[in-house]
Amino acid sequence: MALQYRWRLFFGLIAIFLASGFQLAIPILIGSAVDAARSLDESTVEIVNPAVVGLIDSTVDIFGEGSNPARTALIIIAIYLFIASVGRGLSAMFQNYMGEAIGQHIGYELRMLYYEKLQRLSFSYHAGVHTGDLITRGIIDVEGVRMFVQTALLRTVFLMVLIGTGMYLMLSEDLVLGLISLSFVPFVAWHATAARLKLRSNWYQLQEKLSALTKVMDENLGGIRVVRAFASQDYEMKKFDDASNETLRLANVQVGIRATNISLMGVAFMVAMAAVLWVGGLKVIDGTLTPGELTQFIAFMSILLQPVRQIGMMVNGYARGSATGVRLFQVLDLEPEIQDKPSAKDLELTNGILEFHDVKFGYEGENTLEGISFKVEPGHTVGIVGPPGSGKSTIAHLVPRFYDPIEGHITIDGQDLRDVTLDSLRKAVGVVEQDTFLFTASVAHNVAYGDPWAPDDRVESATHYAQLGDYIERLPGGYDTTIGERGVSLSGGQRQRLSIARSILLRPKLIVFDDSTAAIDAATEQRIRAALTDLTTDRATIIISHRLSSLMHADEILFIDHGKIIERGTHEELLALGGHYNDLYELQIRPSENYSIGSDGELS
Amino acid sequence: MSVKATHERSHEIPPKASIKLGPTLDEEVFGAAFSGQVVSRFIKYVAAYKVLLWVAIISVLVFTASSIAIPLIVRDIFDSALSADTLSSSKLTTMMVVFLTAVGFNFVSNYLQELIVGRVAERILIDMRRAMYTHLQVISLSFMDRTEIGKLMARLQGDVAALQEFLQTAVFAIGDFVLLVGIIGAMIYLDWRLGLMTLAVVPVLFIIRIIWLPYARQAFLRARVTSSIVSGALAENINGIRAVQGMSREYVNYDLFDIRATDNLRAANRASKIGVIMLPIVDTLTGSAMAIIVIVGGFFVLGGSIEVGVMVAFILFVQRFFDPIRSLTMHYNVLQRAMASGERIFEVIDVPVDIKDKPDAIELDEIDGSIKFEDVTFGYLPDQPILKNINFEVKPGETVALVGPTGSGKTSTTALVHRFYDIWDGSVKVGGHDVRDVTQQSLGKHVSMVLQEPFLFSGTVYENIRYAKDDTTREDVVAAAQAVGAHEFIMKLPNGYETELEQRGGNLSLGQRQLISFARAIVADAKILVLDEATASIDSYTEMLIQQALVRLMEGRTGMVIAHRLATIRGADRIIVLQDGEIIEMGNHDELMEMGGLYSRLYSMNYASFDDIPDELIAEATKAAEGTST
Ligand SMILES: Nc1ncnc2c1ncn2[C@@H]1O[C@H](COP(=O)(O)OP(=O)(O)OP(=O)(O)O)[C@@H](O)[C@H]1O
Ligand SMILES: Nc1ncnc2c1ncn2[C@@H]1O[C@H](COP(=O)(O)OP(=O)(O)OP(=O)(O)O)[C@@H](O)[C@H]1O
Ligand SMILES: [Mg+2]
Ligand SMILES: [Mg+2]
């Protein structure tokens, strides 16, 4: 980890040793205070601990000769007790602060790493995971790891030092009593390990179930119109209850483990204390131990009480930390499928000619595209048609290198897409996606999404090109109107036009319209196209559409079926061919009464 | 770090990107640390677990009592069994039994308090979440349109958890309070002079706390707010990752995220600093108290006025004395946070359900499938009517098409049939009943819709087509898929109908998703079928096949069809042309073509290329469309 942690960790560790030192000094001083107070004869102080006697001796001259030694000793002990407490407080402050600071920095770094990783992971990854799951990992799991580092890491060292020194002191003071008082340690250690393992798998499962619940809730809210349209609230509530009861069950198990854990650790300690009292008490009765020594012993043990309690909590922290850490690193360890080669150069745009050379591609082993070859030059347009699922959008996704072809290659001005930097490529290529996603932000921010430095006039002109400007300007808030997630407060066609505006604002050298006018009426579409003509004169355009009137002026039209180009040529050539394209054309231009809704009849 | 190597952070905020996401400070502050209203409503949820909670409170009390008793017993052991003059092993044995009994109580009550409080808190968490979620299922869509899903999710998760935490701490706070009182009582009881002297440090602590609190409150609040901003930014980026990558916004977003995360880091760091300051203060006070005990108590012992055991007990008490004070002030933080969360949760639960069933709403069993709009006026925002004086009627079994430029109000019209929104004026009747007079549940069973945006759920293809209709057979599902021409591609998927769909059907093409959502509507088997551009992303050939199948399916059903491809709706019994929220033409295809209005112009443009159309026609159509779409 970075250098900045080293010194923090260093100071943290120093603070730990100081804190444990002070912490342990306190019971010694208390024990001596009891001894001093018990001095029957006020002129002779019987303090057992030689270290304390030394301390008193070195300080005693301040009070001058002739003062009452017992009282002097008490005052001196009180002063040291005060100093030790302040010292303990200060070092605890440092130690906690360092722990938290390290935790926060690691949390920050993890967040940034996670964010950066997500941004680089390719479409193929994102298509396969649920956004709710990714969000949970980024928020809750990062938090889990942070909490773990913050509270558990340094504190573990602290507790270890404390327990270790405590053990040493007790054992060296009285071996038998020491052993008895520590008899609970093996039990606690064993139990803590067992509980940690149980908790860990429980946390992991719980986190997964929480993700599932998030998914249910998120989809319900996102698809609220479907839920309403099908009056399926009962069904949805059942889904929710199922998911939610799963989490409840696991959470209950967890609470159970925790409760057992905490109470057992407590009782183990108390029983050991009882044994110490019993054996020590008998020793006092025998006269082999002073009550002061026994008090000191009990005080030592009470120092251990807090750590032992905390072990119970830390076991949970460890379990949670490792469970969430696993989930987080599952993502952080991924290598993006699509990334710049080490030798990648920026794309050099000379003409802006896009070429597909015998491209083959499949999503999961299947052949989605095969033998796709075509070329688009600046000022030219390639049109693509085909039935649903034939692979049109897939072609569009290959151009900005959202995916890599399995075979064949794609070039722009002769440079293989895999040899250029993604950033330069995606700046040169604009894809108007079939499925519009808008951000919860103002219209202006949405239009300027690809270039947030764009001045107002560019935003406005792009919006006007997309034939949306007049509508936006009539809104009470104009370009500052906030549009909702996925643009719910816009109509379908308005949403598509906004997404067109967003892409043309970037003036890419190569632009792909993926069925981006499906929800726009023909008149508006033609106005968009007319407005765009002066923009598209020097750039290559690919238009995917089901509406043939949008394509008929393309320089080449590709008819795709099952991932293959089965017909190609200009509108006229394809009509002359009399194949699928011609059929489509006939259907659109001269729909016979026969195949329309609401009437009966057969298709000839 | 690799990140820094590939990209220099500029930290310059672009003018057209917002840095604030998520709740603002004011939203968090939400008034005082204690809101009687929130608490009293929260108590209603808690009341269901009254008995358990009483057991928990009793456990807490027993636990506290035994925690106080244990040092007292230790004192007794020293005083009665081990003091110089009364060394007695039988006494020791008795005392040990007492001690162990106290330990037993301590153990059992500790277990019970942790277990019950933990479990009840989990239960209440679920109850509150469920209450909110249930409410979200009936809340009007206009509220949902305005509200970000991320914010609702934050309430369903974070805020509910804050209340859970509050409940836990509240119960333990009772214990802390009792412990504090108990310790004070015990000290006074043991020796009131020493007790009072020791307690002299308490006011000091309180004064320091009072000075400290406002700073701490501010700092913790800021840490929390900045943290939710970071979460909001993360969620936004994940949801829009395709747009982000497609438009190369990664670097800008990374910078923006860094600004937010750094903000949060600073705020959290400051909160830590302010938090840990209390540690040396409390320890200094503990140290003072112990010094007082050692000196004064020690002198008392020397003077013979108290037993040494009293002094020991005092020291033990003092060490535990500050814990409850510390956690009580800590609870203050939780309390304040819980109040803000509670306000936000109840804010959602309190959103009035604008659209609800009348008390005497009719359960629609059978309907004839007619639809009638009478003088309907409707808009989403006050003073901005979207639909104006809409009048039309669809007879049972008829199919009516809605056409018009984009944004003219077609989708809005269909939304009213299902009563997604309530109209301002006029009436919408389905099967002869005003939609406001029937239960929404039964209305929903008679109207099924293919929405403009095909939304699919995660789950298998089969589950998606069947959706809420549990009583559907597999044959029905397959038949519906066949009718819309989806069967073929479904069978080609890796697991056929059992193929798991990714989120929102991400592993299907848009057209395929549309087909599945179409099949889902058919399976719902309703009297009225609304198709909102159900075939917009589907080629004309596939569409024709669907329409053939529909001919049979639509028998005896009423249809409402929206399409931009006019070929699609040519054959409808009636075509309604909407413009700017008004019906400007109505009739069948031939009548409308003859009329030569907007429909005929749109129609001719639809198949012709624009340079085939005379310029004035474009100009006219443009002008016509101007009023609505632009
Ligand atoms: N939830 C909403 N809140 C506020 N305004 C809305 C909402 N939904 C739609 N609008 C506005 O109401 C108008 C009509 O929208 P509607 O969705 O009915 O149009 P449409 O005719 O279906 O258009 P399209 O063909 O583009 O889908 C539009 O101007 C749109 O911006
Ligand atoms: N992320 C994905 N994972 C797996 N399979 C996918 C994925 N995306 C698409 N497919 C499959 O690949 C095929 C081609 O999909 P594509 O989106 O390219 O079709 P399309 O021609 O654009 O169709 P449409 O006209 O419906 O938009 C389809 O069969 C689809 O199911
Ligand atoms: Mg597609
Ligand atoms: Mg619409």
Side-chain angles (χ1 to χ4, degrees):
Chain A
M1 211 54 71
L3 236 165
Q4 46 181 336
Y5 300 122
R6 293 236 182 103
W7 63 261
R8 282 215 173 84
L9 202 58
F10 177 69
F11 282 117
L13 288 174
I14 290 191
I16 285 174
F17 285 106
L18 285 176
S20 354
F22 287 123
Q23 179 89 316
L24 290 165
I26 290 171
I28 297 177
L29 290 167
I30 291 173
S32 310
V34 172
D35 279 347
R38 284 175 57 94
S39 313
L40 294 176
D41 177 358
E42 295 195 5
S43 54
T44 49
V45 195
E46 311 150 10
I47 291 172
V48 195
N49 197 306
V52 178
V53 176
L55 269 181
I56 293 174
D57 283 346
S58 62
T59 334
V60 83
D61 354 312
I62 304 171
F63 293 88
E65 292 296 324
S67 55
N68 182 325
R71 284 171 195 251
T72 311
L74 279 176
I75 291 171
I76 293 170
I77 290 172
I79 291 170
Y80 282 114
L81 207 48
F82 179 75
I83 293 172
S85 294
V86 174
R88 179 180 70 172
L90 285 175
S91 41
M93 175 179 82
F94 270 109
Q95 177 213 328
N96 275 326
Y97 174 70
M98 290 304 163
E100 288 186 18
I102 293 175
Q104 282 153 2
H105 272 93
I106 288 181
Y108 165 82
E109 295 284 350
L110 279 178
R111 262 183 185 159
M112 295 310 291
L113 280 175
Y114 186 74
Y115 191 84
E116 195 260 355
K117 178 64 86 180
L118 283 187
Q119 283 197 322
R120 285 197 302 132
L121 283 170
S122 26
F123 272 37
S124 51
Y125 176 76
H126 283 286
V129 284
H130 199 277
T131 52
D133 189 38
L134 286 182
I135 295 171
T136 323
R137 283 176 206 235
I139 298 172
I140 297 173
D141 292 348
V142 166
E143 187 63 13
V145 175
R146 186 183 70 78
M147 285 297 284
F148 164 69
V149 172
Q150 169 167 325
T151 54
L153 215 58
L154 277 180
R155 185 154 300 169
T156 308
V157 180
F158 177 58
L159 295 185
M160 288 304 162
V161 171
L162 209 59
I163 293 175
T165 330
M167 276 163 82
Y168 169 76
L169 284 175
M170 287 197 280
L171 289 174
S172 57
E173 179 119 2
D174 185 317
L175 193 63
V176 180
L177 271 190
L179 282 178
I180 295 173
S181 63
L182 293 174
S183 58
F184 72 96
V185 172
F187 172 76
V188 165
W190 165 76
H191 193 261
T193 320
R196 193 183 70 84
L197 288 179
K198 264 194 275 178
L199 274 173
R200 190 188 128 117
S201 86
N202 181 277
W203 264 112
Y204 191 82
Q205 289 175 38
L206 182 60
Q207 219 64 273
E208 298 277 304
K209 294 291 176 205
L210 282 173
S211 273
L213 178 64
T214 306
K215 198 151 100 177
V216 169
M217 296 196 294
D218 183 67
E219 291 193 352
N220 173 278
L221 298 178
I224 192 82
R225 273 160 201 273
V226 177
V227 176
R228 299 293 165 89
F230 287 84
S232 56
Q233 279 92 343
D234 294 343
Y235 175 74
E236 289 290 320
M237 281 315 291
K238 188 177 168 311
K239 275 209 281 192
F240 171 82
D241 283 338
D242 287 350
S244 160
N245 288 339
E246 271 296 294
T247 65
L248 180 64
R249 188 182 62 76
L250 285 168
N252 276 341
V253 171
Q254 193 188 88
V255 170
I257 301 176
R258 232 167 32 199
T260 319
N261 206 13
I262 290 177
S263 52
L264 269 184
M265 302 230 168
V267 81
F269 174 81
M270 299 281 196
V271 169
M273 185 146 159
V276 169
L277 276 174
W278 171 249
V279 177
L282 290 179
K283 280 192 169 194
V284 172
I285 293 171
D286 287 353
T288 45
L289 196 73
T290 68
E293 284 168 323
L294 187 57
T295 314
Q296 184 169 319
F297 232 97
I298 299 290
F300 275 141
M301 276 202 83
S302 350
I303 291 189
L304 295 187
L305 175 65
Q306 211 50 27
V308 169
R309 283 239 173 96
Q310 287 186 356
I311 286 174
M313 280 190 277
M314 271 171 22
V315 164
N316 190 39
Y318 265 106
R320 183 174 171 206
S322 51
T324 51
V326 166
R327 280 167 49 85
L328 197 60
F329 283 101
Q330 278 170 355
V331 176
L332 289 182
D333 289 345
L334 289 172
E335 263 308 299
E337 255 167 58
I338 309 279
Q339 53 183 338
D340 289 348
K341 276 190 189 171
S343 60
K345 290 195 199 56
D346 278 354
L347 177 70
E348 267 174 53
L349 278 174
T350 44
N351 295 309
I353 302 174
L354 170 77
E355 254 182 296
F356 273 58
H357 305 269
D358 204 14
V359 168
K360 181 175 166 187
F361 175 77
Y363 286 99
E364 279 142 15
E366 283 158 64
N367 282 355
T368 308
L369 292 177
E370 229 181 318
I372 304 288
S373 301
F374 66 90
K375 179 173 176 183
V376 213
E377 288 174 24
H380 286 233
T381 301
V382 164
I384 302 179
V385 271
S390 53
K392 304 179 295 297
S393 302
T394 309
I395 294 181
H397 284 162
L398 292 177
V399 179
R401 210 182 156 211
F402 289 150
Y403 301 92
D404 274 341
I406 298 173
E407 275 170 34
H409 58 281
I410 305 167
T411 57
I412 292 179
D413 287 340
Q415 302 152 78
D416 193 314
L417 298 189
R418 283 169 291 205
D419 296 334
V420 300
T421 57
L422 279 176
D423 194 41
S424 65
L425 170 66
R426 289 180 185 168
K427 287 223 157 85
V429 175
V431 179
V432 184
E433 292 264 0
Q434 195 171 13
D435 200 2
T436 318
F437 181 90
L438 301 178
F439 294 87
T440 309
S442 68
V443 172
H445 286 194
N446 265 292
V447 174
Y449 196 76
D451 180 6
W453 279 277
D456 289 347
D457 58 330
R458 260 182 68 206
V459 170
E460 281 162 29
S461 86
T463 319
H464 277 284
Y465 269 123
Q467 306 300 316
L468 193 61
D470 293 342
Y471 174 74
I472 299 297
E473 277 155 26
R474 282 212 324 259
L475 289 174
Y479 286 88
D480 295 328
T481 313
T482 303
I483 46 179
E485 227 162 334
R486 294 198 165 239
V488 266
S489 51
L490 295 178
S491 83
Q494 288 163 346
R495 230 152 38 216
Q496 281 194 331
R497 281 178 283 161
L498 193 66
S499 131
I500 293 175
R502 186 164 76 178
S503 289
I504 54 185
L505 175 110
L506 300 173
R507 298 181 177 261
K509 217 36 205 157
L510 220 150
I511 187 156
V512 184
F513 293 96
D514 187 356
D515 208 7
S516 43
T517 52
I520 300 174
D521 58 293
T524 310
E525 184 191 352
Q526 293 192 359
R527 282 184 295 127
I528 295 176
R529 218 163 285 297
L532 287 184
T533 37
D534 56 311
L535 270 182
T536 49
T537 45
D538 58 341
R539 50 201 89 218
T541 313
I542 297 177
I543 299 178
I544 299 172
S545 178
H546 290 300
R547 198 184 285 159
L548 298 188
S549 56
S550 327
L551 302 176
M552 57 201 299
H553 293 284
D555 300 280
E556 186 178 28
I557 298 170
L558 311 176
F559 193 105
I560 312 272
D561 197 7
H562 291 107
K564 297 193 189 77
I565 300 178
I566 55 168
E567 288 173 22
R568 67 193 304 165
T570 63
H571 180 66
E572 285 71 27
E573 285 165 6
L574 289 176
L575 290 188
L577 192 69
H580 291 82
Y581 183 85
N582 187 47
D583 289 351
L584 271 190
Y585 182 73
E586 289 293 322
L587 274 173
Q588 287 194 9
I589 201 159
R590 270 189 287 281
S592 98
E593 285 290 328
N594 285 347
Y595 19 80
S596 293
I597 301 177
S599 54
D600 39 1
E602 297 270 279
L603 176 73
S604 47
Chain B
M1 205 156 302
S2 61
V3 191
K4 287 170 193 156
T6 52
H7 170 58
E8 279 298 315
R9 297 179 203 183
S10 62
H11 279 328
E12 191 189 321
I13 303 178
K16 289 196 173 56
S18 75
I19 192 83
K20 280 270 176 304
L21 288 163
T24 56
L25 260 178
D26 334 329
E27 222 175 299
E28 272 282 335
V29 180
F30 249 132
F34 188 84
S35 149
Q37 218 204 341
V38 170
V39 172
S40 71
R41 295 188 59 178
F42 185 55
I43 285 182
K44 290 207 188 94
Y45 287 89
V46 176
Y49 305 97
K50 238 188 326 214
V51 179
L52 273 178
L53 276 176
W54 277 117
V55 178
I57 289 175
I58 291 169
S59 304
V60 169
L61 294 180
V62 171
F63 178 74
T64 313
S66 59
S67 302
I68 300 173
I70 287 171
L72 287 175
I73 296 170
V74 173
R75 175 203 68 140
D76 247 31
I77 292 177
F78 276 90
D79 281 356
S80 57
L82 303 179
S83 72
D85 32 291
T86 57
L87 287 172
S88 137
S89 62
S90 65
K91 197 124 196 192
L92 182 65
T93 318
T94 331
M95 293 308 297
M96 285 320 296
V97 173
V98 177
F99 182 84
L100 282 176
T101 315
V103 169
F105 274 110
N106 190 269
F107 169 60
V108 173
S109 57
N110 195 6
Y111 178 75
L112 284 180
Q113 67 173 12
E114 290 285 340
L115 188 78
I116 298 176
V117 172
R119 291 207 170 157
V120 169
E122 292 289 347
R123 251 300 6 150
I124 286 175
L125 166 103
I126 300 248
D127 288 352
M128 305 244 0
R129 182 184 285 150
R130 193 168 191 280
M132 204 178 350
Y133 192 75
T134 313
H135 193 68
L136 287 173
Q137 303 303 310
V138 293
I139 248 172
S140 52
L141 276 179
S142 39
F143 172 84
M144 298 298 288
D145 290 347
R146 284 196 310 269
T147 316
E148 251 174 274
I149 295 174
K151 274 200 177 149
L152 291 178
M153 289 299 286
R155 292 179 191 201
L156 284 165
Q157 295 175 316
D159 287 332
V160 174
L163 278 192
Q164 175 200 22
E165 192 187 356
F166 164 65
L167 177 79
Q168 271 171 336
T169 35
V171 175
F172 290 121
I174 298 175
D176 283 330
F177 188 72
V178 173
L179 184 62
L180 196 62
V181 173
I183 290 179
I184 293 176
M187 291 211 268
I188 304 278
Y189 159 77
L190 285 174
D191 188 283
W192 65 270
R193 293 162 303 173
L194 196 53
L196 285 183
M197 262 184 265
T198 316
L199 291 176
V201 298
V202 174
V204 181
L205 182 66
F206 270 109
I207 290 168
I208 292 176
R209 274 280 174 177
I210 286 167
I211 299 170
W212 174 81
L213 215 53
Y215 293 98
R217 205 178 111 116
Q218 262 297 318
F220 287 126
L221 204 60
R222 251 200 79 72
R224 219 156 57 225
V225 172
T226 50
S227 156
S228 15
I229 290 175
V230 171
S231 305
L234 177 73
E236 189 197 59
N237 210 56
I238 291 174
N239 285 324
I241 190 72
R242 279 165 177 261
V244 171
Q245 292 190 348
M247 281 180 282
S248 292
R249 251 297 273 260
E250 291 99 328
Y251 292 151
V252 175
N253 282 3
Y254 186 82
D255 277 352
L256 293 177
F257 188 72
D258 194 13
I259 293 173
R260 293 170 182 135
T262 312
D263 240 17
N264 175 237
L265 177 64
R266 293 220 182 93
N269 204 256
R270 194 178 136 75
S272 290
K273 279 184 190 148
I274 292 187
V276 295
I277 278 269
M278 274 325 276
L279 288 172
I281 292 175
V282 167
D283 269 345
T284 305
L285 293 175
T286 318
S288 318
M290 284 201 288
I292 292 173
I293 295 168
V294 167
I295 296 175
V296 180
F299 287 11
F300 283 170
V301 175
L302 287 177
S305 61
I306 61 172
E307 294 290 329
V308 74
V310 174
M311 186 177 139
V312 174
F314 256 92
I315 290 177
L316 287 183
F317 277 139
V318 144
Q319 292 192 15
R320 311 207 42 191
F321 177 62
F322 288 94
D323 285 348
I325 295 186
R326 193 164 15 192
S327 46
L328 276 176
T329 34
M330 212 89 95
H331 295 337
Y332 178 85
N333 218 340
V334 174
L335 190 72
Q336 184 222 339
R337 175 166 166 200
M339 290 307 132
S341 291
E343 297 255 6
R344 281 199 297 269
I345 290 173
F346 292 121
E347 189 189 42
V348 171
I349 294 183
D350 286 347
V351 173
V353 180
D354 300 332
I355 301 188
K356 55 179 162 213
D357 294 346
K358 283 190 182 165
D360 54 347
I362 310 163
E363 193 76 31
L364 275 187
D365 282 337
E366 276 300 316
I367 58 162
D368 59 9
S370 66
I371 303 170
K372 192 168 183 191
F373 275 58
E374 281 170 10
D375 268 329
V376 171
T377 301
F378 165 74
Y380 296 96
L381 303 173
D383 302 327
Q384 287 180 45
I386 296 287
L387 296 176
K388 294 155 223 160
N389 295 317
I390 301 290
N391 278 296
F392 67 87
E393 194 179 349
V394 191
K395 298 197 183 68
E398 252 188 347
T399 294
V400 160
L402 289 175
V403 295
T406 98
S408 53
K410 305 179 293 295
T411 302
S412 309
T413 307
T414 58
L416 298 181
V417 176
H418 206 295
R419 203 182 166 206
F420 281 172
Y421 303 93
D422 265 343
I423 52 180
W424 295 356
D425 210 3
S427 74
V428 175
K429 287 188 175 145
V430 170
H433 297 279
D434 191 306
V435 289
R436 286 166 294 199
D437 294 336
V438 300
T439 64
Q440 294 175 68
Q441 189 70 18
S442 64
L443 179 64
K445 297 285 175 225
H446 293 296
V447 183
S448 81
M449 303 179 112
V450 180
L451 300 171
Q452 192 165 10
E453 189 114 326
F455 186 97
L456 302 182
F457 295 87
S458 348
T460 64
V461 173
Y462 180 78
E463 285 165 357
N464 265 286
I465 298 181
R466 188 197 57 182
Y467 191 48
K469 210 155 162 67
D470 298 337
D471 52 348
T472 309
T473 62
R474 193 165 186 97
E475 285 71 54
D476 291 340
V477 168
V478 174
Q482 271 162 343
V484 301
H487 181 72
E488 189 204 356
F489 88 79
I490 294 173
M491 291 313 286
K492 279 201 197 132
L493 293 173
N495 295 314
Y497 281 87
E498 301 311 318
T499 308
E500 286 283 333
L501 291 189
E502 304 295 356
Q503 185 174 20
R504 298 188 186 210
N507 47 348
L508 296 180
S509 83
L510 189 66
Q512 292 170 333
R513 273 180 261 166
Q514 206 156 44
L515 293 178
I516 290 188
S517 89
F518 206 146
R520 175 171 67 192
I522 289 176
V523 165
D525 189 27
K527 203 76 181 169
I528 297 172
L529 189 60
V530 176
L531 308 176
D532 190 354
E533 313 224 15
T535 52
S537 305
I538 292 163
D539 66 306
S540 300
Y541 187 75
T542 311
E543 184 188 7
M544 176 200 76
L545 297 178
I546 296 176
Q547 292 193 351
Q548 278 179 285
L550 272 183
V551 171
R552 198 172 37 76
L553 281 170
M554 291 301 290
E555 254 165 46
R557 292 178 215 268
T558 309
M560 238 178 135
V561 183
I562 300 177
H564 281 303
R565 228 180 289 152
L566 299 184
T568 312
I569 42 92
R570 255 192 70 153
D573 295 310
R574 199 131 30 89
I575 296 167
I576 297 169
V577 185
L578 276 175
Q579 187 189 340
D580 205 6
E582 278 169 295
I583 295 181
I584 53 165
E585 290 164 30
M586 189 155 28
N588 67 24
H589 176 71
D590 295 334
E591 289 164 13
L592 291 180
M593 286 308 281
E594 216 161 284
M595 216 191 271
L598 181 66
Y599 179 80
S600 74
R601 287 195 301 263
L602 285 172
Y603 187 80
S604 45
M605 276 213 274
N606 211 5
Y607 65 83
S609 71
F610 48 82
D611 42 9
D612 297 337
I613 305 174
D615 283 348
E616 59 269 26
L617 200 60
I618 295 189
E620 247 179 87
T622 307
K623 225 173 82 203
E626 208 116 80
T628 48
S629 64
T630 46

